[in-house]
Amino acid sequence: MSKAPDKDELTGIDTTGHDWDGITELDNPLPRWWLYMFYASIVIAILGWIWYPSWPIWVGEWTYSKGIAGFSKRAEVTAELQRVAEGREVYYQQIREQPLEAVINDPQLLRISMAGGAAAFGDNCAACHGSGAQGFVGFPNLNDDAWLWGGTLSDIYQTLQHGIRWEADYETRLSVMQGYLADQILTRNEVSDVVDYVLSFHDQAEDEAAVARGQVTFEQICSACHGADAKGMKELGAPNLTDAIWLYGGDRATIYETVANGRAGVMPAWAGRLDDATIKQLAIYVHSLGGGQDEAN
Amino acid sequence: MAGAAGTPLPPQPNKAAPLYQKRIKIYPKRVSGLFRNVKWVVMLITLGIYYITPWLRWDRGPSAPDQAVLLDLPNRRFYIFFIEIWPQEIYYLTGLLILSALALFLVTSLFGRVWCGYACPQTVWTDLFIWVERLVQGDRNKRMRLDKAPWRLEKIAKKSITHGIWLVISVATGGAWVFYFADAPTLLSDLLQGDAPMAAYIAIAALSFTTYSLGGLMREQVCTYMCPWPRIQGAMFDADTYLVSYKADRGEPRGPHKQGESWEGRGDCIDCKACVTVCPVGIDIRDGPQLECIQCALCVDACNEIMDRVDRPRGLIDYETLAMPQARAEGRETRPKLLRGRTIIYGLSILLTMAIMAYGLLTRSDLDLSVQQDRNPLYVLLSDGGVRNGYQLKIINKAHEERNFIIAIKGLDGYELSRPNHQGPVDVVSVGPDAQKTIRLYVALPKEGLNASRFRDGEAQIRIMLRQEDDQASGDLGDSARPVLASQNIGFRTPPQR
Ligand code: SF4
Ligand code: SF4
């Protein structure tokens, strides 16, 4: 509630006229230094407008008063990023020059590689392999210990550099899992028998006779790439058919589909698209996800 | 208060209040007496603590600094004698602040603004600066005369000596501050040689400026206009709080008194204004309790001196509660009521806070382990049909020597550990002195282990345990072994529908 300013009876000081349930506010004068500081802050604000960019201005399009100091936050950020990149370059140079084994044995380079690899993975790889590298149907999970083309540091590095079935790169990893039914190499029954034989590795085959027939076909055709023991061959990117990991699925229908129509997953070659230091960092990062194999194996 | 029974002022023409008020300069007069002496002692002790503390040494072994009180910001450690605080233990500091606040509340509800009057840095430094001023320029009357005098050599000399000494004290104050944040002897020699970090010079400059301006120039303006504490304190006084008060019932009617005159029919106050001239905030305590009064009790000393001289009993101005004059008027006895609802609550809160902090400090472990389970992916199916989970372990070794720990998992049988890019035994982790280490730990469980009854809805509850490597007593770390530290329960996940 506001009343007309009045004089307070006890103190003889004017009130502001503001009254809350009988409590009134005294209009005491400010201390002089306080008032002068208030004026000074107004002056400083105006100097700030002149010194720094501040007011939006319309000159046919929106711009702003630039300020006489030539200050720009954007330029500051750019310079800052530039400084960071320059500081990083020292280490990136070392990563480029040194073999992968040496990089992971240098604690500082390893730390940088893990951080850089994680960031580059999120930017480039996560679209297909998932942000946790957990993979999707047709895109392998990079956390597990099954590798089509090998899981050592140098295997992973090579895959990253040249990709898989990436035509633009003549060193790309190449292999063919053709469609044996589609290409009329096998009949429906023969395909079905081979599927039975593959399922028998997992104790899921139902028909003993079919398994026996499938085995004959497998040894004639499939073993060329997948090996006589069906454990795969990393030189050919041929998966181990006896383990628990399936890229497309391990049920009868999916395996039938795979044998009948073939599979040909593609991964881009990253050499030339990414800095070699970044590719090495990615190799180190992926190798550390839990399934990385030692060079000796 | 003064006008509680006052007559309404006659109506006056309503002039607009002035926008600002010129500051009335205060020239506190010298006084001696009990409370002045207490203030000298408190000043010596507080300034002594402030200037000397950073130079005290405290042996913590070779891997930690030997400064008794050190707030090591770059390395994020606070050392306070036997206490060492890590960033995540900053709640000890919170506890200390809560304790200080409660102690302040308790003292204030018992004896009013004791903090303001005796111990507040603003009061202590202002007191020191007034002492310097008096030393150079003389007491109240001489200072008033000097200020009125034209600017001649004597005035210029006295003023510049005063300000010079103030500046020296200010720089010493700002200088002492930075020693709390770095090794004092090293920093001192760096400061003198000009190689100390820029931040140190800036801090010294800033603190010198505030000490000089607040203690030398602003003084009572800080207490009256800037500090929130005087406003809050009103809520802590009650009728039984001891405040510096003028006994109006004994002093009035006041008036000059000639030696030999009778004291009949008049009050004891001889209106000499000694209480006003000594007051560092320039108020008249006879007007009743006032916001500006910092309760330094110098007016008590001043009036006692006068009472001695006119041969009346001391204590016309004294520590008194609001209930006392009322009791006197009614002819009742008054006894101090120190135990009241609010003081008991404040006191108990202090004890409780102290107990909690003491418990925390006494049971503080020098080892800490926190475990985070990977969320993406939650689990990894392995080629042999087994499952692997990933964890991030953060091990904090607060001891001043390197320690080796053996990691084991409680709640899984036949697990296998692995760590990326790690050389040496997979289950041994060494953490440096006074350091923390983060490791990634993969725990794989083969297919056979997955059918154990421990799994509910595809998840088992496990604990990650640490044992010190040289500790042979606990033997093999199985479920029964005694670890030095076990993590909280954490999940081990397997694919659904197993
Ligand atoms: S010092 Fe004591 S006697 Fe003198 S004016 Fe103050 S209250 Fe009165
Ligand atoms: S009135 Fe008395 S107690 Fe209050 S500030 Fe002045 S001298 Fe100190």
Side-chain angles (χ1 to χ4, degrees):
Chain A
M1 257 258 309
S2 189
K3 290 188 200 157
D6 199 3
K7 196 164 279 284
D8 177 57
E9 283 182 0
L10 297 181
T11 55
I13 296 171
D14 286 343
T15 70
T16 56
H18 302 161
D19 178 308
W20 295 273
D21 294 341
I23 300 173
T24 55
E25 185 185 7
L26 298 184
D27 192 10
N28 275 310
L30 296 163
R32 185 164 55 174
W33 57 264
W34 195 98
L35 193 73
Y36 286 178
M37 260 157 82
F38 178 60
Y39 291 154
S41 62
I42 294 174
V43 172
I44 288 171
I46 293 170
L47 290 180
W49 294 343
I50 299 168
W51 192 253
Y52 289 115
S54 45
W55 289 96
I57 298 172
W58 175 258
V59 284
E61 55 170 341
W62 280 110
T63 174
Y64 55 94
S65 66
K66 297 282 192 306
I68 58 173
F71 175 84
S72 156
K73 198 81 204 169
R74 188 181 296 261
E76 224 172 47
V77 170
T78 313
E80 177 75 13
L81 288 176
Q82 180 74 25
R83 257 199 309 282
V84 171
E86 277 164 17
R88 217 163 38 190
E89 184 50 31
V90 182
Y91 301 106
Y92 276 40
Q93 191 60 36
Q94 292 178 31
I95 293 172
R96 273 191 285 271
E97 281 164 4
Q98 295 187 19
L100 282 161
E101 284 296 326
V103 173
I104 63 167
N105 284 325
D106 178 326
Q108 186 164 33
L109 292 185
L110 176 62
R111 210 168 53 237
I112 291 169
S113 298
M114 288 296 288
F121 190 92
D123 286 349
N124 301 290
C125 316
C128 292
H129 289 285
S131 58
Q134 74 275 30
F136 300 104
V137 172
F139 301 96
N141 182 343
L142 304 176
N143 295 282
D144 65 30
D145 57 344
W147 298 92
L148 291 175
W149 298 94
T152 67
L153 260 180
S154 51
D155 288 336
I156 297 170
Y157 178 50
Q158 191 188 336
T159 306
L160 276 159
Q161 277 182 306
H162 303 294
I164 297 166
R165 300 184 191 91
W166 191 253
E167 285 169 13
D169 189 315
Y170 65 93
E171 282 181 78
T172 195
R173 295 196 186 271
L174 268 182
S175 69
V176 181
M177 170 72 192
Q178 61 192 115
Y180 286 88
L181 182 64
D183 294 350
Q184 297 176 353
I185 299 168
L186 298 175
T187 65
R188 273 172 209 284
N189 286 340
E190 283 168 328
V191 171
S192 177
D193 291 345
V194 166
V195 172
D196 267 306
Y197 179 61
V198 172
L199 284 172
S200 75
F201 306 144
H202 304 275
D203 302 326
Q204 285 174 24
E206 282 147 19
D207 183 344
E208 286 296 322
V211 170
R213 288 194 300 273
Q215 180 171 9
V216 176
T217 313
F218 188 91
E219 280 163 1
Q220 280 174 357
I221 296 174
C222 314
S223 63
C225 294
H226 289 283
D229 56 2
K231 293 216 154 77
M233 251 181 260
K234 79 166 192 184
E235 293 75 17
L236 299 169
N240 182 343
L241 303 178
T242 65
D243 69 15
I245 311 284
W246 294 94
L247 183 53
Y248 294 92
D251 58 302
R252 168 176 281 278
T254 311
I255 299 174
Y256 184 92
E257 166 69 22
T258 302
V259 178
N261 293 321
R263 301 286 185 188
V266 174
M267 169 167 153
W270 293 97
R273 297 172 155 223
L274 294 178
D275 180 2
D276 189 44
T278 306
I279 297 178
K280 279 183 161 172
Q281 291 176 348
L282 277 170
I284 290 167
Y285 173 74
V286 169
H287 185 258
S288 80
L289 288 173
Q293 295 164 346
D294 289 340
E295 219 56 57
N297 295 352
Chain B
M1 275 307 294
T7 42
L9 297 164
Q12 287 166 14
N14 221 339
K15 280 196 285 112
L19 189 54
Y20 67 79
Q21 192 173 39
K22 228 181 117 190
R23 182 172 165 201
I24 300 157
K25 190 159 182 205
I26 298 163
Y27 301 88
K29 191 174 155 64
R30 204 183 73 88
V31 64
S32 52
L34 172 67
F35 294 106
R36 180 64 267 181
N37 288 341
V38 171
K39 273 171 72 77
W40 288 134
V41 171
V42 173
M43 183 197 282
L44 270 178
I45 293 173
T46 48
L47 289 182
I49 291 174
Y50 177 71
Y51 288 113
I52 294 171
T53 305
W55 300 92
L56 300 177
R57 302 289 105 182
W58 190 272
D59 186 24
R60 296 189 181 85
S63 62
D66 67 344
Q67 185 156 321
V69 175
L70 178 66
L71 310 179
D72 188 351
L73 296 180
N75 298 313
R76 304 203 202 102
R77 298 279 184 285
F78 286 1
Y79 301 95
I80 304 162
F81 296 97
F82 60 95
I83 304 171
E84 183 188 336
I85 295 179
W86 286 54
Q88 64 269 38
E89 295 170 319
I90 202 78
Y91 49 78
Y92 286 123
L93 224 59
T94 314
L96 217 59
L97 291 176
I98 292 175
L99 213 55
S100 313
L102 287 171
L104 200 55
F105 296 170
L106 177 64
V107 168
T108 305
S109 59
L110 285 175
F111 305 112
R113 293 172 65 176
V114 172
W115 166 257
C116 297
Y118 299 88
C120 175
Q122 174 63 23
T123 296
V124 169
W125 263 274
T126 301
D127 225 18
L128 182 65
F129 279 30
I130 291 176
W131 177 74
V132 170
E133 189 175 69
R134 188 178 294 137
L135 216 60
V136 179
Q137 305 177 15
D139 207 1
R140 175 179 161 91
N141 293 339
K142 283 196 181 155
R143 295 208 299 277
M144 290 169 87
R145 236 175 295 134
L146 187 70
D147 272 6
K148 287 216 187 74
W151 282 96
R152 297 250 171 72
L153 192 62
E154 187 204 355
K155 180 167 174 176
I156 293 172
K158 282 187 171 171
K159 287 276 173 187
S160 35
I161 291 173
T162 309
H163 285 265
I165 300 178
W166 285 355
L167 276 172
V168 170
I169 296 174
S170 302
V171 173
T173 305
W177 178 261
V178 296
F179 293 140
Y180 284 87
F181 297 88
D183 183 55
T186 320
L187 181 60
L188 180 63
S189 81
D190 284 355
L191 279 171
L192 295 178
Q193 287 164 23
D195 335 310
M198 201 56 202
Y201 292 108
I202 293 174
I204 292 177
L207 267 127
S208 305
F209 172 74
T210 51
T211 310
Y212 174 75
S213 58
L214 299 186
L217 310 178
M218 297 295 286
R219 295 193 179 169
E220 81 289 344
Q221 300 283 308
V222 176
C223 306
T224 308
Y225 293 108
M226 295 178 172
C227 181
W229 185 224
R231 272 92 186 151
I232 300 170
Q233 290 175 109
M236 288 169 192
F237 300 158
D238 58 22
D240 296 308
T241 303
Y242 278 85
L243 303 173
V244 173
S245 326
Y246 165 70
K247 293 175 185 160
D249 52 341
R250 188 188 137 189
E252 302 296 327
R254 59 180 89 152
H257 177 267
K258 290 217 179 63
Q259 209 171 2
E261 268 179 22
S262 156
W263 290 95
E264 275 307 312
R266 58 156 296 154
D268 281 351
C269 174
I270 61 166
D271 208 9
C272 63
K273 299 216 162 56
C275 53
V276 181
T277 52
V278 300
C279 177
V281 301
I283 57 165
D284 187 343
I285 188 66
R286 296 173 301 168
D287 293 345
Q290 287 150 80
L291 176 85
E292 292 91 336
C293 173
I294 59 169
Q295 293 185 16
C296 59
L298 291 182
C299 52
V300 178
D301 281 346
C303 189
N304 281 343
E305 229 174 286
I306 301 295
M307 289 298 111
D308 288 352
R309 215 177 301 160
V310 299
D311 212 16
R312 299 297 294 168
R314 288 177 157 223
L316 176 56
I317 304 176
D318 205 355
Y319 273 104
E320 201 176 49
T321 69
L322 291 177
M324 284 178 176
Q326 196 151 5
R328 273 200 302 275
E330 295 164 9
R332 277 189 287 116
E333 280 266 309
T334 42
R335 264 190 278 119
K337 272 210 287 189
L338 297 184
L339 283 182
R340 319 191 285 277
R342 66 173 71 193
T343 60
I344 291 171
I345 290 173
Y346 290 146
L348 289 179
S349 314
I350 289 174
L351 289 180
L352 183 70
T353 314
M354 280 165 70
I356 292 173
M357 281 183 67
Y359 176 80
L361 279 173
L362 290 176
T363 57
R364 179 180 181 271
S365 143
D366 61 358
L367 179 65
D368 208 16
L369 166 68
S370 75
V371 180
Q372 225 179 354
Q373 188 184 7
D374 284 2
R375 295 272 151 215
N376 184 18
L378 271 172
Y379 55 83
V380 176
L381 187 64
L382 298 176
S383 56
D384 67 354
V387 171
R388 196 186 70 219
N389 278 212
Y391 301 90
Q392 184 123 313
L393 271 59
K394 199 190 272 175
I395 304 170
I396 298 178
N397 176 22
K398 295 177 191 165
H400 292 308
E401 69 272 338
E402 181 180 88
R403 289 199 275 180
N404 289 333
F405 299 104
I406 298 178
I407 307 171
I409 310 289
K410 185 176 175 173
L412 288 181
D413 297 320
Y415 60 86
E416 262 173 50
L417 300 180
S418 57
R419 282 157 69 186
N421 303 317
H422 171 75
Q423 270 112 30
V426 70
D427 60 343
V428 176
V429 52
S430 72
V431 190
D434 207 32
Q436 76 174 38
K437 188 164 197 173
T438 303
I439 62 166
R440 286 197 54 68
L441 181 69
Y442 294 123
V443 180
L445 196 60
K447 194 174 181 158
E448 305 77 57
L450 292 176
N451 299 320
S453 59
R454 286 206 166 97
F455 285 91
R456 276 209 186 86
D457 299 329
E459 184 166 17
Q461 292 301 317
I462 65 168
R463 279 168 191 270
I464 294 181
M465 305 202 291
L466 294 184
R467 172 166 63 93
Q468 210 154 332
E469 196 181 36
D470 45 24
D471 177 12
Q472 296 302 324
S474 46
D476 198 32
L477 253 193
D479 273 11
S480 57
R482 184 170 44 83
V484 285
L485 195 67
S487 74
Q488 73 278 28
N489 263 333
I490 190 151
F492 183 92
R493 283 208 161 264
T494 62
Q497 306 139 10
R498 293 204 59 85

